[in-house]
């Protein structure tokens, strides 16, 4: 098969590309950075350098592809972030139609069912809506939970201030996903035919901040580690102090509020979706410990 993938060689995209190449497929990798071309070609893939907001470029990259993997970066620019994501989605949709692509996999997120109250996930919601309108295209939306690896961002705070937490409560339920589970699902779907417009959840485990702290703490020699609920304003000031844009800070704070209010996981539980991922949080603890010790 000829498969085009977005995401350059990011944490999700690179394993997807490697697995597709190992399975014998011809893979074209979209990247916005020309300096990634050599690395992409060294893997055995074809590099397509351009922007996912450029419909003409995407049309060329998608032409003759049997399947296309699409994703949205966490942020696009420093202002008008949700609109920028939506415009990239429009470019994707236009290119899919003009290139005659009939099989598409979209990496989405828990909470993407909701039009608001989910912070940056609102952008992916808009893209899902656009893809649902594609006629004659088998689209599979894979809604991932929060990546386990996101907790690596907390290592510095744990080491420096002995704080582990977020702006939601320690007993709020979190849908979590290991990268191996989501990349395996993407590869499987790209090689399958699909069935119209489908939404599938790829969740490896359900847990809470309190439970995660009780797992991580003993593993890193801090058995006293507990979850800290950070007030919204304090949470915002912490992000602003490291140079994050005010718009992004508001969106990330809104994501935590969505967790707190149950908006993020509402559809997952309401539809009876199941935990299908194989790698549980207890298995990830060793990865977290190793990263902590290396930091």
């Amino acid at each position: 098969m000829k498969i085009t993938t977005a995401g350059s060689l990011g944490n999700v995209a690179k394993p997807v590309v490697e697995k597709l190449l190992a399975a014998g497929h011809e893979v074209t990798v979209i990247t916005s950075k020309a300096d990634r071309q050599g690395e992409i070609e060294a893997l055995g893939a074809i590099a397509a350098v351009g922007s996912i907001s450029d419909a003409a470029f995407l049309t060329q990259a998608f032409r003759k592809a049997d399947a296309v993997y699409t994703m949205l970066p966490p942020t696009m620019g420093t202002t008008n972030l949700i609109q920028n994501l939506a415009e990239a989605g429009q470019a994707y949709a236009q290119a899919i139609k003009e290139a005659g692509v009939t099989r598409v996999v979209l990496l989405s997120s828990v909470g993407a069912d909701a039009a608001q109250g989910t912070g940056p996930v609102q952008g992916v919601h808009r893209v899902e809506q656009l893809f649902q309108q594609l006629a004659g295209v088998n689209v599979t939306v894979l809604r991932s939970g929060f990546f386990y690896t996101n907790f690596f961002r907390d290592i510095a705070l744990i080491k420096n201030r002995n704080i582990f937490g977020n702006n939601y409560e320690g007993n709020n339920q979190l849908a979590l996903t290991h990268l191996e589970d989501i990349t395996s699902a993407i590869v499987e779907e790209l090689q399958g035919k699909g069935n119209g417009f489908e939404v599938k959840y790829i969740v490896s485990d359900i847990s809470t901040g309190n439970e995660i702290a009780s797992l991580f703490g003993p593993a890193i020699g801090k058995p006293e580690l507990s979850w800290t609920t950070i007030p919204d304003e304090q949470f915002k000031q912490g992000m602003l102090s490291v140079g994050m844009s005010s718009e992004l800070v508001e969106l990330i704070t809104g994501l935590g509020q969505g967790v707190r209010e149950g908006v993020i996981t509402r559809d997952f539980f309401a539809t009876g979706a199941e935990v299908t991922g194989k790698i549980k949080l207890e298995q990830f603890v060793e990865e977290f410990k190793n990263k902590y010790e290396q930091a």
Side-chain angles (χ1 to χ4, degrees):
M1 293 176 66
K2 293 182 178 180
I3 300 173
T4 300
T5 66
S8 189
L9 295 180
N11 291 334
V12 174
K14 185 176 182 179
V16 167
V17 171
E18 290 173 334
K19 290 176 182 181
L20 290 171
L21 289 170
H25 302 294
E26 180 182 308
V27 182
T28 297
V29 179
I30 293 171
T31 181
S32 61
K33 298 178 180 178
D35 59 5
R36 274 290 176 92
Q37 182 170 345
E39 188 179 355
I40 291 168
E41 292 175 349
L43 291 175
I46 302 164
V49 182
S51 169
I52 61 169
S53 297
D54 183 342
F57 160 72
L58 289 175
T59 300
Q60 196 61 33
F62 290 172
R63 206 169 299 280
K64 296 184 180 179
D66 299 301
V68 167
Y69 162 62
T70 58
M71 55 78 66
L72 286 305
T75 60
M76 292 185 69
T78 56
T79 59
N80 303 316
L81 300 177
I82 300 302
Q83 184 59 31
N84 291 345
L85 291 171
E87 288 176 359
Q90 290 170 344
Y92 270 141
Q94 182 180 335
I96 289 165
K97 287 187 284 188
E98 292 186 4
V101 177
T102 58
R103 180 70 179 121
V104 176
V105 176
L106 169 66
L107 175 60
S108 185
S109 168
V110 289
D113 60 290
Q116 57 188 6
T118 60
V121 179
Q122 295 170 87
V124 192
H125 166 81
R126 294 195 190 183
V127 178
E128 282 195 16
Q129 298 300 301
L130 289 166
F131 279 27
Q132 191 166 7
Q133 297 167 23
L134 291 169
V137 184
N138 290 321
V139 177
T140 300
V141 173
L142 296 179
R143 289 184 183 161
S144 169
F146 295 170
F147 293 152
Y148 289 162
T149 50
N150 288 349
F151 292 115
F152 291 159
R153 302 171 188 169
D154 296 293
I155 289 175
L157 202 56
I158 295 172
K159 285 203 167 194
N160 298 331
R161 298 180 57 190
N162 209 36
I163 293 176
F164 176 57
N166 213 298
N167 69 322
Y168 45 84
E169 305 291 334
N171 59 358
N172 291 135
Q173 287 190 302
L174 304 171
L176 304 166
T177 302
H178 193 281
L179 286 175
E180 175 62 28
D181 286 329
I182 190 64
T183 58
S184 293
I186 292 167
V187 170
E188 180 180 349
E189 291 295 341
L190 284 169
Q191 296 176 105
K193 293 182 178 179
N195 184 25
F197 183 86
E198 301 176 286
V199 173
K200 298 181 180 181
Y201 282 96
I202 307 299
V203 172
S204 305
D205 215 341
I206 300 292
S207 192
T208 66
N210 290 336
E211 292 167 345
I212 296 165
S214 70
L215 286 172
F216 287 177
I220 61 174
K222 289 181 176 288
E224 75 285 358
L225 187 69
S226 61
W227 184 263
T228 300
T229 301
I230 305 170
D232 285 346
E233 285 308 313
Q234 183 182 337
F235 189 65
K236 291 178 185 179
Q237 289 305 314
M239 290 185 284
L240 289 170
S241 70
V242 296
M244 294 176 65
S245 72
S246 57
E247 184 177 339
L248 180 56
V249 165
E250 289 294 334
L251 287 172
I252 293 175
T253 303
L255 178 62
Q257 291 167 343
V259 171
R260 211 162 60 205
E261 295 163 11
V263 178
I264 298 295
T265 53
R266 179 181 58 199
D267 185 74
F268 177 83
F269 291 117
T271 58
E274 297 181 356
V275 173
T276 57
K278 297 177 181 179
I279 303 177
K280 304 306 172 189
L281 194 58
E282 288 84 353
Q283 295 167 264
F284 175 71
V285 170
E286 192 64 26
E287 290 182 51
F288 185 85
K289 175 185 175 183
N290 291 339
K291 199 76 171 181
Y292 184 89
E293 291 175 345
Q294 293 166 11

